Every structure is written in structure tokens, then in C-alpha cells.
């Protein structure tokens, strides 16, 4: 949490001090709201989410005056509510999945986003919590990717299913991995996929094929499709997210590299523009640097 706070400190200094400078001079007024708009956009919160904040602030100001502290509290509450919108009512922040069934988590995202690292972090936590895990190295496009995922598998003590040879079919690897997961009675199968965004059609075809194999071989499994997104990309990351959301039937987002970025506000843009919940956040390169997303923690780290 400290790392997240420190990391988001860059956003925070940019954001909270400036917001305080705006609201600290007395009750919030329309000029103040316009300044807050600029600040939110600079923090990569995005147009859609910013517009919603402004609308709510303006409505509130019509009914009452907002002294500085109340204005900050109200802003925090607004941001929290917006971040919580895509979650199911019973959502409780946790890294590990449901017990008593096979969970398959398809990890997507462009190369360098932090997919492999995130898989390593998740399996580490899951294994420590007593889950029987397996990794499918289905990024068969890059030989290095298979090696890298094996390194993380070894680190967390989790087996990796891979096909020897380059350019093997990712769907075939997933097929083998599901068979292995069934025979070992695994709780969680993490699938590393290729992240070639340059060719959207290939990406879609590949992911669709993998989905078909999962539906056929493991119809009972609880499937999640998680996009791993590099927070330091800010609004550019949002465009990537849009492409993946068209290709991968995403169910959530993992926001990485929140340590040391001034672009933490992108979380709000992702949630508001794509309607996807942020599931986990990465705040470092180490195996323990993953946290389940909590809107409360996030907003406190962003605005306190
Ligand atoms: P992949 O290509 O998507 O599998 O990305 P990798 O998992 O190989 O990560 C790319 C780089 O980002 C590596 O140098 C990781 O150490 C680094 N990385 C991943 N997650 C984080 C994070 O949360 N914080 C920081 N600072 N670096 C990260």
C-alpha cells in the first residue's frame, strides 16, 4: 500500500495539492469547478469520467455551498462510486478465485504490459492460499515469452504447460493445459496469451479459438478474461484497452506499474469508458507487489 501511495504520489502532488489550492480559498464556486476539470483531465481521468464529476459537482453546488474539506470529501466519494460501478454487489477485493471449481483466467495485453509478471504474482498468492495452480504458456509467438513464464512458474512453484517448438498453436497449448488441469484437479489455470496488437484480426482469431477450446473442453469452468494494462501509458492505454475489449470479451482489468506514474487517473477512464472493473493493481516488479483493487484505497492514495 505504501508503494501505491508513493507511486501515486506523483499523481497526488499534481492532483490533490492543486485541487486543494482551488478549493482551499473558500467555498467551491463555478470557477473552481472549471479548474478542477482541467486538473482531472491532466491526471488522465479522461473526458467521460471528468464530465460526470463536473456534473455532480455542479448539481451539488446548486443546492448548497461546499467548504474546502467537504468539497474534497465529496470529490473522493464521487470517484469511489464511479470506480465501484462495474462491480457485482457482492464483490469483495481478493486476488484468489472461487473455490471448488476450475477457474480459467485468460491474461491478455500488449507485450511489456506486465502480463507474465502478473501471472507470477497471482500464482504466488494463490499457491500460498492453498490453491492448486497451473500456467498455460500460450504466447507461442515469442520463444522468449515461454521461457519467461517458466521462470515465473519456477519462482512461485507452479507448473507450466508449454509446447516445444516455436509457432505452435496457442489453442493446442490451452487444450493440453485444460487436460492437465482436469487430471490434476487444479483450481486455477492462468493462460498467458500473445499480445500482438498490430494485427487486430489475428489477435481476435487467436483469442476466439482459445475461447472455443475452453468452452468445449471446460464448459463448467469459471472463465475470466483479464486485460493487463500499463498505467504509465495513460490515455494511450485506453485505446489499447478498447481494441482488446472488442477482441477478448474482457471481464476485468489489471492495472500495472502504478508505482511511479503520474497517470493513475486512467483507472477512472477505464472504468467509465469501458465499463470494466479494475480487479488487481501492480505496484512493483516483485512477486508480492500485487493487490486486489479497492476503490477506497485507490482514492485515498490518489487524494489524500
Ligand atoms: P509482458 O510482456 O506483458 O509479459 O510483460 P512483463 O511481465 O515481461 O513485464 C514487462 C516489464 O514491466 C518487466 O520489466 C516487469 O518487471 C515490469 N513490470 C511489470 N509489472 C510491473 C509493476 O507493477 N510495476 C513496475 N514498476 N514494473 C512492472
Amino acid at each position: 500500500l505504501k508503494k501505491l501511495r508513493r507511486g501515486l504520489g506523483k499523481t497526488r502532488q499534481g492532483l490533490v495539492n492543486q485541487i486543494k489550492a482551488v478549493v482551499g480559498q473558500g467555498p467551491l464556486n463555478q470557477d473552481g469547478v472549471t479548474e478542477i476539470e482541467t486538473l482531472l483531465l491532466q491526471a488522465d481521468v479522461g473526458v467521460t469520467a471528468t464530465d460526470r464529476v463536473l456534473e455532480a459537482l455542479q448539481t451539488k453546488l446548486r443546492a448548497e455551498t461546499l467548504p474546502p474539506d467537504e468539497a474534497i470529501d465529496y470529490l473522493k466519494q464521487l470517484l469511489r462510486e464511479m470506480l465501484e460501478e462495474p462491480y457485482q454487489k457482492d464483490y469483495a477485493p481478493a486476488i484468489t478465485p472461487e473455490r471448488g471449481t476450475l477457474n480459467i483466467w485468460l491474461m491478455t495485453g500488449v507485450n511489456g504490459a506486465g502480463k507474465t509478471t502478473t501471472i507470477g504474482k497471482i500464482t504466488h498468492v494463490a499457491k500460498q492460499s492453498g490453491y492448486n495452480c497451473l500456467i498455460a504458456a500460450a504466447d507461442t509467438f515469442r520463444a522468449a515469452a515461454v521461457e519467461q513464464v517458466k521462470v515465473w512458474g519456477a519462482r512461485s512453484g507452479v507448473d507450466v504447460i508449454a509446447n516445444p517448438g516455436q509457432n505452435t498453436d496457442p489453442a493446442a497449448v490451452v487444450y493440453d493445459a485444460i487436460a492437465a488441469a482436469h487430471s490434476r484437479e487444479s483450481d486455477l489455470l492462468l493462460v498467458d496469451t500473445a499480445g500482438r496488437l498490430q494485427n487486430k484480426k489475428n489477435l481476435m482469431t487467436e483469442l476466439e479459438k482459445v475461447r472455443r477450446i475452453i468452452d468445449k473442453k471446460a464448459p463448467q469452468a469459471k472463465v475470466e478474461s483479464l486485460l493487463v494494462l500499463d498505467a504509465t501509458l495513460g490515455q494511450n492505454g485506453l485505446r489499447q484497452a478498447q481494441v482488446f475489449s472488442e477482441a477478448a470479451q474482457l471481464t476485468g482489468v489489471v492495472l500495472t506499474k502504478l508505482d511511479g506514474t503520474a497517470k493513475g487517473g486512467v483507472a477512472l477512464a477505464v472504468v467509465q469508458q469501458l465499463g470494466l472493473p479494475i480487479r488487481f493493481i501492480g505496484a512493483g516488479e516483485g512477486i508480492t507487489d500485487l493487490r486486489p483493487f479497492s476503490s477506497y484505497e485507490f482514492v485515498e492514495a490518489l487524494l489524500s
Side-chain angles (χ1 to χ4, degrees):
L1 185 60
K2 273 203 196 113
K3 254 188 178 166
L4 174 66
R5 275 180 182 273
R6 252 203 320 273
L8 284 178
K10 287 191 189 167
T11 312
R12 205 160 73 224
Q13 276 155 19
L15 201 57
V16 83
N17 290 339
Q18 293 177 68
I19 288 178
K20 278 191 177 146
V22 172
V23 299
Q25 294 144 2
L28 187 62
N29 56 26
Q30 286 306 326
D31 287 346
V33 173
T34 310
E35 284 181 57
I36 289 177
E37 173 178 23
T38 312
L39 295 176
L40 291 175
L41 290 173
Q42 279 169 359
D44 275 276
V45 168
V47 177
T48 316
T50 300
D51 281 353
R52 283 201 51 189
V53 172
L54 294 187
E55 241 179 77
L57 275 177
Q58 270 154 354
T59 309
K60 184 92 173 162
L61 285 180
R62 255 177 248 131
E64 57 189 295
T65 51
L66 275 182
D69 284 352
E70 281 179 38
I72 295 269
D73 283 348
Y74 184 61
L75 193 60
K76 281 186 186 176
Q77 182 197 328
L78 276 176
L79 297 181
R80 274 198 307 269
E81 282 172 8
M82 286 165 65
L83 286 167
E84 283 161 15
E85 268 167 15
Y87 293 98
Q88 308 289 331
K89 277 221 162 51
D90 58 355
Y91 174 79
I95 290 177
T96 45
E98 199 178 302
R99 288 194 190 265
T101 178
L102 172 61
N103 294 270
I104 301 179
W105 290 2
L106 258 180
M107 308 300 286
T108 56
V110 299
N111 298 335
K115 238 178 319 160
T116 322
T117 310
T118 302
I119 288 174
K121 291 170 176 174
I122 293 173
T123 47
H124 174 72
V125 174
K127 185 146 190 248
Q128 285 202 326
S129 312
Y131 287 81
N132 189 352
C133 305
L134 203 59
I135 299 172
D139 180 355
T140 55
F141 191 69
R142 292 183 304 161
V146 177
E147 288 316 309
Q148 205 190 351
V149 91
K150 281 183 179 165
V151 169
W152 276 103
R155 244 175 237 168
S156 52
V158 168
D159 284 345
V160 176
I161 305 294
N163 269 353
Q166 226 188 325
N167 283 331
T168 45
D169 185 356
V173 177
V174 174
Y175 187 95
D176 290 350
I178 293 174
H182 281 322
S183 70
R184 299 172 187 208
E185 296 183 355
S186 303
D187 305 299
L188 176 61
L189 169 63
L190 282 148
V191 181
D192 186 27
T193 62
R196 284 162 294 150
L197 199 58
Q198 300 83 345
N199 190 331
K200 189 170 146 193
K201 195 157 172 290
N202 278 0
L203 180 77
M204 280 187 164
T205 316
E206 190 169 306
L207 289 171
E208 272 164 18
K209 207 167 157 194
V210 167
R211 282 304 280 247
R212 272 204 305 279
I213 293 289
I214 293 176
D215 291 345
K216 210 167 142 194
K217 280 280 286 179
Q220 314 292 356
K222 256 197 113 205
V223 183
E224 291 258 14
S225 178
L226 299 176
L227 172 68
V228 179
L229 194 65
D230 178 345
T232 64
L233 297 179
Q235 289 293 304
N236 288 330
L238 197 72
R239 280 187 279 281
Q240 279 179 13
Q242 254 144 3
V243 174
F244 277 96
S245 81
E246 285 158 31
Q249 304 169 49
L250 298 176
T251 57
V253 172
V254 182
L255 208 52
T256 62
K257 309 188 194 180
L258 274 170
D259 49 316
T261 174
K263 297 179 184 293
V266 74
L268 280 139
V270 166
V271 166
Q272 286 296 305
Q273 262 156 273
L274 300 174
L276 291 168
I278 313 278
R279 291 291 309 280
F280 313 125
I281 53 176
E285 296 181 272
I287 203 160
T288 55
D289 293 327
L290 187 78
R291 295 185 66 79
F293 182 75
S294 144
S295 61
Y296 183 81
E297 271 181 19
F298 192 84
V299 170
E300 286 303 311
L302 197 66
L303 286 188
S304 59

